[in-house]
Amino acid sequence: MFKWKKFLVTGALCALSVMTLVGCGGQQAAAPSSSSSSSGVATTIKVGSAVDFAPFEFQDEGQAEYQGFDMDLIRAIGKEMGAEVEIQNIGFDGLIPALQAKTVDVLISGMTINDERKQNVTFSDPYYQSGLTMVVRKDEQSIQKFQDLKGHKVAVQIGTTSANEVKKIEGVEVKEFNTPADCFMELKTGGADAVVNDRPVSEYFITKSGQTDVKELPDMLTAEDYGIAVAKDNKELADKINAALKTLKENGEYDKIYDKWFGGAKK
Ligand code: ARG
């Protein structure tokens, strides 16, 4: 007869040893990603990110690896925690649902910490200070300040703080798109008069791709801090991430990553 008891005990021991990295035949990748092991930290951290947001998360044509500031940071955090990092590309408005469904354990996606999201997720300490600006066509005269958006068509990425903020301005026709790239396309083809988006992303887009027909305006709508999100009830994982983040800030690793993507500009 099949020995259920022995099977279960052996199975449990095996699962335990996988979690402690000793491994069943060293198959580290086969470890469950649940963060409920005794140490509270999984050996593989499943990360969700909307990989459409250079220089934070993007993919160059012909390159398999996702790259950017967030990607380097989360890999460094994983290393610090002794865990593998597995990144999944998920549309921005699908990230929090994916976290809630436990498809992923962690979100890093240039995600702004705000009260509304805090009802559904737990954020790490802030890791980057950002803000929202407008991009318009070079010849645009009538838009200088955010309030000037009244009566105009404005393109924003769906599910973002930009979308929320623009909707608060009266008389704006808000057009929501899946990615910032789609928003910029809409601006260039005349379907929108402005794009509202995170400042470093718009700056990177204009300078890196040598845009000459659009400009970023100096008016900044909000200051926003980016945070790494975990499931609302997973404070333990947030603590581990915060500890890793602190170490990386102290040992100069954070600065190295920052300088790689932002060229030593102010933090
Ligand atoms: N910071 C903004 C927000 O949290 C935009 C983030 C968009 N991120 C992305 N990877 N597309 O809503």
Side-chain angles (χ1 to χ4, degrees):
M1 203 183 76
F2 187 73
K3 294 199 173 59
W4 273 107
K5 205 167 169 192
K6 185 164 178 238
F7 173 76
L8 288 175
V9 169
T10 314
L13 281 177
C14 187
L16 250 182
S17 67
V18 170
M19 284 178 186
T20 52
L21 284 182
V22 178
C24 278
Q27 287 289 319
Q28 203 195 107
S33 82
S34 141
S35 17
S36 57
S37 68
S38 57
S39 67
V41 178
T43 51
T44 299
I45 305 175
K46 286 195 186 167
V47 176
S49 184
V51 186
D52 58 19
F53 210 58
F56 293 95
E57 40 267 338
F58 62 105
Q59 188 173 27
D60 269 342
E61 228 171 289
Q63 277 214 325
E65 282 252 301
Y66 295 146
Q67 40 173 337
F69 178 79
D70 284 351
M71 303 293 93
D72 285 349
L73 186 63
I74 199 67
R75 287 183 186 120
I77 287 172
K79 203 166 162 198
E80 206 50 55
M81 290 166 56
E84 293 280 326
V85 166
E86 191 185 287
I87 301 164
Q88 288 181 40
N89 186 9
I90 300 170
F92 191 77
D93 64 336
L95 287 175
I96 291 179
L99 189 64
Q100 290 176 317
K102 301 206 185 301
T103 309
V104 293
D105 309 308
V106 169
L107 305 177
I108 187 162
S109 200
M111 187 177 278
T112 303
I113 300 172
N114 66 25
D115 288 341
E116 193 191 328
R117 289 175 181 156
K118 273 191 201 161
Q119 298 184 351
N120 297 310
V121 306
T122 294
F123 279 108
S124 70
D125 293 333
Y127 69 87
Y128 185 93
Q129 205 180 57
S130 188
L132 303 181
T133 56
M134 291 179 286
V135 177
V136 295
R137 281 180 297 274
K138 200 120 211 178
D139 57 4
E140 181 62 65
Q141 298 298 331
S142 61
I143 304 172
Q144 312 280 341
K145 302 268 171 211
F146 274 89
Q147 288 311 318
D148 302 336
L149 291 176
K150 190 174 174 169
H152 286 283
K153 297 192 186 93
V154 181
V156 290
Q157 184 177 23
I158 193 162
T160 60
T161 47
S162 291
N164 281 350
E165 292 301 326
V166 170
K167 284 175 190 170
K168 288 184 199 160
I169 307 170
E170 217 190 302
V172 174
E173 187 184 326
V174 184
K175 298 180 96 175
E176 294 176 282
F177 295 90
N178 283 329
T179 68
D182 293 340
C183 295
F184 290 123
M185 187 60 78
E186 191 71 2
L187 174 68
K188 288 169 150 231
T189 56
D193 306 313
V195 172
V196 173
N197 189 35
D198 297 41
R199 177 186 48 80
V201 174
S202 290
E203 259 163 31
Y204 193 89
F205 166 73
I206 291 172
T207 51
K208 281 289 149 153
S209 57
Q211 300 293 320
T212 50
D213 49 353
V214 298
K215 60 184 178 190
E216 190 194 24
L217 300 174
D219 195 21
M220 188 146 101
L221 185 58
T222 50
E224 306 192 351
D225 281 329
Y226 292 167
I228 298 166
V230 300
K232 175 122 172 151
D233 60 0
N234 204 350
K235 177 107 184 14
E236 205 181 344
L237 182 56
D239 288 345
K240 301 251 151 90
I241 290 172
N242 283 336
L245 197 55
K246 187 162 176 275
T247 305
L248 296 173
K249 284 198 171 170
E250 283 166 2
N251 69 13
E253 199 54 41
Y254 176 94
D255 284 351
K256 255 198 232 160
I257 298 172
Y258 192 98
D259 290 348
K260 174 176 167 191
W261 295 104
F262 303 104
K266 70 171 191 323
K267 293 181 178 73

